[in-house]
Every structure is written in structure tokens, then in C-alpha cells.
């Protein structure tokens, strides 16, 4: 009847869900086929036995996980000791990802703030400049960076031509090179979420703080950061997670001393001599770590909202 308003808690909502439900079928199919199924397959492979010429034998075992954490000697007949090799690689990956996230945050926050405070037309231009690198494949960008910082590359030649250095800086095959690669690869992942948060920020709050004689640092710490915190956290997650599993930057820009977990996993699936169950187990351990970090963050967010 005319004049009646739909009841959001009545049949109207049920009818809406009945319409939206079938439309979500393609989405759930894509998620199931391209996300859930590969993860399940990787989990199953991690419990299988390595075939001598590559591939797997369908005999279920915990040998891959045992190999990751324990060292039982060449023939497996020695008392088990902790396998520090892979644990060290894992710790190095966490450290590299954390440092890359910190550098991206230090550079990305002022960049996002600068873009968000420009006039609307200028913002579009700056965002365009930030996202331009993603028009090029990550492999090409990483190789280009290696060309730039190599001993006879443009960076060293420019520094020597103006007299700042006399010998080329040994940048390639160092932790610094890996950090540059991760920073260059994932900086936009930090800038864009923070920009979205700053764009929604009410700058009248800063003006009110200034009227109350608050310093700029006090305003930043007590007002700005709590408001834009969701964007900062989202940016840190978007940088940390892919940096943790990165393998292009360590492989192309680093050396044996910068070997990361992503490179270790990639190596296990190459050629006929790889160890698929071990690679799958390392991938599952990595994914478990990421899930733990995300669950801790989600729990902290829930407690914060409850307060």
C-alpha cells in the first residue's frame, strides 16, 4: 500500500538477500577455485613424500616439517638438533619485511599527507605519478633497479662524475639492495591506504588543537595519528605480507647472505631436483605466521572497538 515504508528487519531484507545470493555465486566460485583449492593442495603436498626425480609420492608423513625444524644428520641416524639454517632464513625474512615496512611508512605517510592536502585536480596527478610504476611488470622494475645501482650503473657513475666517491659503491648483493627493491616495489601499497584515511580527516580538528595552543607534534600524536590509524595499519599489512614472501628482490638484488623464505620456497619447485613437500611445508609455515599476525591485529581491533 502507498505510504508504507519497507521494514529493514522484515521480508524486505530476506528478499534482498535472495536476490544478492545468486549474484555472489561467481565470486565464491573464483575464491574457491583460485584461493581455497590451491591452499588445500599445498597443505596436502606438505604431508607427502618427496619423489627421487622430483614431484611427490602419495605416502603421508611429517618429514617435510621435521626437515624444516630439526637436523638429524646426513643419513638421519644422529640425535636431532634444531635446524637453524631455515629458522635463520625465516627470521631474516621477517626482519627484512619489517624494515621495508618501516621505511615505506616513514616515506609513505608524509607523501600521502602531501597528496591529500593538495587541490583536487593536483591530487589526481600525484596519485597518477605514484601508481605509474605499476604499469610495468615487477620483474622488469626489479631488473631496472639492479641496472641502476650496479657498480657501473648510472647511480655510481653519476656520484663519481661529481666527485662524491672515487670507487663504485658495492650496492648489489647486499641487504641494502634488497631493502631498496622491497621499498620500490611496495611503497604505493603504503601510500594509497594512508591517503584514503587522510582524505577523510577533518582538518578542523587540527585548527581546534592549534587554538588550544597544542604544538604540531602534539596535534600529530594525539589527534591525527589516532584518526588515520586504520589507514596506517592497512598500509603496513599490505607492505609487510608481500615483503615477507618476496623472492624477486632477494634473488636479483641480493646474494646468498640475503636469502629469504620466498626464495627458499621458489627454489624447491624449480626443475626436477626440487623438494615439493618441503617447499609446501615452508609455504604453510609462512602462511600460518601471516595468519597469526592478522588474527592478533583483528583481536586488538575488536578489543579497541569494545572499549
Amino acid at each position: 500500500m502507498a505510504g508504507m515504508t519497507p521494514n529493514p528487519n522484515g521480508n524486505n531484507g530476506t528478499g534482498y538477500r535472495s536476490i544478492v545470493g545468486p549474484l555472489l555465486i561467481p565470486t565464491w566460485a573464483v575464491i574457491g577455485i583460485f584461493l581455497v583449492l590451491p591452499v588445500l593442495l599445498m597443505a596436502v603436498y606438505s604431508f607427502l613424500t618427496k619423489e627421487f626425480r622430483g614431484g611427490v609420492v602419495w605416502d603421508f608423513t611429517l618429514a617435510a616439517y621435521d626437515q624444516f625444524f630439526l637436523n638429524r644428520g646426513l643419513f638421519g641416524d644422529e640425535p636431532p638438533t634444531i635446524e637453524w639454517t631455515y629458522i635463520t632464513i625465516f627470521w631474516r625474512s621477517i626482519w627484512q619485511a619489517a624494515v621495508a615496512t618501516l621505511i615505506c611508512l616513514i616515506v609513505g605517510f608524509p607523501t600521502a599527507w602531501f597528496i591529500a592536502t593538495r587541490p583536487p585536480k593536483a591530487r589526481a596527478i600525484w596519485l597518477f605519478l605514484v601508481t605509474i610504476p605499476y604499469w610495468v611488470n615487477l620483474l622488469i622494475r626489479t631488473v631496472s633497479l639492479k641496472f641502476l645501482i650496479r657498480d657501473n650503473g648510472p647511480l655510481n657513475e653519476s656520484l663519481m662524475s661529481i666527485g662524491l666517491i672515487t670507487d663504485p659503491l658495492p650496492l648489489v648483493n647486499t641487504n641494502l639492495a634488497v631493502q631498496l627493491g622491497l621499498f620500490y616495489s611496495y611503497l604505493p601499497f603504503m601510500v594509497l591506504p594512508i591517503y584514503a584515511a587522510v582524505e577523510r580527516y577533518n582538518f578542523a580538528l587540527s585548527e581546534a588543537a592549534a587554538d588550544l595552543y597544542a604544538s604540531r607534534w602534539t596535534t600529530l600524536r594525539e589527534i591525527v595519528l589516532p584518526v588515520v590509524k586504520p589507514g596506517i595499519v592497512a598500509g603496513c599489512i599490505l607492505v609487510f605480507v608481500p615483503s615477507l614472501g618476496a623472492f624477486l628482490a632477494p634473488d636479483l638484488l641480493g646474494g646468498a647472505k640475503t636469502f629469504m623464505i620466498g626464495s627458499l620456497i621458489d627454489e624447491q619447485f624449480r626443475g626436477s631436483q626440487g623438494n615439493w613437500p618441503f617447499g609446501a611445508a615452508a609455504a604453510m609455515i609462512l602462511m600460518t605466521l601471516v595468519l597469526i599476525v592478522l588474527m592478533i591485529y583483528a583481536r586488538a581491533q575488536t578489543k579497541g572497538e569494545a572499549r
Side-chain angles (χ1 to χ4, degrees), residues 35-49:
L35 179 62
V36 178
L37 185 60
V39 171
L40 291 177
L41 185 63
M42 193 70 66
V44 172
Y45 269 47
S46 68
F47 292 103
L48 298 181
T49 303

Side-chain angles (χ1 to χ4, degrees), residues 106-127:
I106 293 173
V107 176
F109 182 83
T111 302
W113 184 274
F114 172 81
I115 296 174
T117 53
R118 298 306 96 190
K121 291 183 178 179
R123 291 180 202 171
I125 297 175
W126 283 107
L127 289 175

Side-chain angles (χ1 to χ4, degrees), residues 27-66:
T27 302
W28 288 115
V30 170
I31 293 175
I33 295 173
F34 296 105
L35 179 62
V36 178
L37 185 60
V39 171
L40 291 177
L41 185 63
M42 193 70 66
V44 172
Y45 269 47
S46 68
F47 292 103
L48 298 181
T49 303
K50 176 184 180 297
E51 208 275 329
F52 180 73
R53 293 180 298 275
V56 295
V57 176
W58 287 83
D59 292 333
F60 287 88
T61 175
L62 292 174
Y65 292 95
D66 183 88

